[in-house]
Amino acid sequence: MALSAQKVKTAGPGRHGDGRGLFLYVKPSGARSWVLRYQVQKRRRDLGLGAYPDVTLAMARERASEARRLIAEGEDPIAKRQQAKPKTFEDAALELIEGKRPGWKNAKHAAQWTSTLEAYAFPKIGQVQVAKLETSDVMAVLTPIWSAKPETANRVRQRIEAVLDYASALGIRTGENPARWRGHLDHLLPKPTKVRAVKHHPALPHAEIADFIRHLASREGVAARALGFTILTAARSGETRGATWAEIDLDARIWTIPASRMKAGKEHRVPLSTAALGLLGEKRDDDKLIFVSEAKPGKPISDMSMTAVLRRMERVDITVHGFRSTFRDWAGETTGFPREVIEAALAHGIKDKAEAAYARSDLFDKRRELMTAWSNFACASERAENVVSISK
């Protein structure tokens, strides 16, 4: 039987039907709410229509009638409601990250996007409708960190700008992007490079590398071997951590890193010195990692494991990435190898487009000479007794 206004007001706990799927739900506490039960594509769904007494019996019947009309037209009222719900900045940001994830060659990109936005943007503007974000909202995020963390702040700004551009592309936002730099925020904030000089990765002076390698060689563990290999190949830590035996040609003494694992997205061949080969360990199946986590078998060592080796050596003054600078300084200051050979060894792209167009070769043979010289220098034995340090 259909409900009456009095029945709605006095009904006890339970479910009370009004007909055609409309129900009044009464909780033991006495709270009352309206629900329309329906089925779409053989799936039963419950659509909330509001709470009594704010929504009267007449209003509930009217809302139920509108929902039935949508169902008759082949639409799902719940899906339509969700589509009509204003999208927050956080909603748009997470959608953008998921959309970009397949195109990012490194999973760390998605993690970095998410972590920076969660740390700095979401607490302040995450729940603000993306269509209503203004310059003042962006400034509220950036101002506290612009001077203290200029590099991080600029990344946050760029990511906010990208999210708002994404919202505009979806058609849920109009107007200029309040996070754009040129011609807008550059009038309100100082350039990041003017706030503080770019902080480079602390590097070990190349004159100290032989002593460092000797001390490192006395340490046991996968991470210590990985650090030594990274230094002798002038590789990035991520390239070392992800290395598999399929990438190593022991006979040719070459490590071939596929384009998918390189920062520049281009395959890179690394000539391996005798010392570098000695750090690889026992040969395993091609699909196996070379430097496997001792804590998590089958997984690569973490991105902090080599840093932890430095900390145990009480070298808090240098970083793993800094050894690439050590190599660059040594090669540029103490050897006669051409700049392009040194840059090729570091897998640096050539910024000059005209120069890059003519750089067809990877200069591998010359790089093998360079890396052999580097290994000999880095793994040099104790200084002969009759050699006196100039500093003394």
Side-chain angles (χ1 to χ4, degrees), residues 243-294:
T244 66
W245 281 105
E247 299 173 4
I248 305 294
D249 185 332
L250 292 174
D251 294 329
R253 301 162 68 96
I254 298 174
W255 174 26
T256 303
I257 311 173
S260 61
R261 294 209 307 109
M262 290 300 298
K263 183 177 181 180
K266 182 180 179 181
E267 181 184 275
H268 181 55
R269 296 191 300 162
V270 183
L272 298 176
S273 64
T274 300
L277 284 168
L279 292 168
L280 292 175
E282 185 178 352
K283 175 75 168 69
R284 303 175 68 200
D285 294 339
D286 282 354
D287 62 340
K288 301 297 184 182
L289 290 163
I290 295 173
F291 301 104
V292 186
S293 170
E294 295 171 303

Side-chain angles (χ1 to χ4, degrees), residues 89 92-93 96 100 104 113 117 130 155-169 177 179-180:
F89 175 82
L96 175 60
K100 283 182 170 289
W104 280 327
W113 267 67
L117 292 176
V130 71
R155 291 193 190 97
V156 172
R157 184 203 64 76
Q158 291 171 344
R159 288 163 186 172
I160 293 175
E161 182 179 20
V163 172
L164 298 182
D165 281 343
Y166 169 73
S168 295
N177 192 320
R180 73 187 187 281

Side-chain angles (χ1 to χ4, degrees), residues 3 43 73 84 102 180 206 215 239 251 267 295 302 343 349:
L3 296 173
R43 180 185 177 189
E73 293 175 355
R180 73 187 187 281
H206 57 76
H215 293 152
E239 294 159 7
D251 294 329
E267 181 184 275
S302 74
E343 293 300 302

Side-chain angles (χ1 to χ4, degrees), residues 98-162:
E98 287 306 309
K100 283 182 170 289
R101 192 186 297 273
W104 280 327
K105 61 184 179 183
N106 191 333
K108 281 183 73 174
H109 287 312
Q112 289 168 345
W113 267 67
T114 304
S115 63
T116 52
L117 292 176
E118 284 181 344
Y120 303 107
F122 291 171
K124 294 182 180 294
I125 62 173
Q127 298 309 306
V128 177
Q129 290 184 29
V130 71
K132 296 183 178 180
L133 274 170
E134 299 178 351
T135 301
S136 58
D137 299 307
V138 177
M139 289 293 288
V141 174
L142 300 179
T143 301
I145 59 174
W146 197 256
S147 296
K149 303 177 180 180
E151 292 181 48
T152 298
N154 194 42
R155 291 193 190 97
V156 172
R157 184 203 64 76
Q158 291 171 344
R159 288 163 186 172
I160 293 175
E161 182 179 20

Side-chain angles (χ1 to χ4, degrees), residues 8 11-14 16 24-34 50-53:
V8 170
H16 307 276
L24 173 71
Y25 282 80
V26 181
K27 294 183 178 180
S29 63
R32 300 158 194 270
S33 60
W34 299 101
Y52 177 87

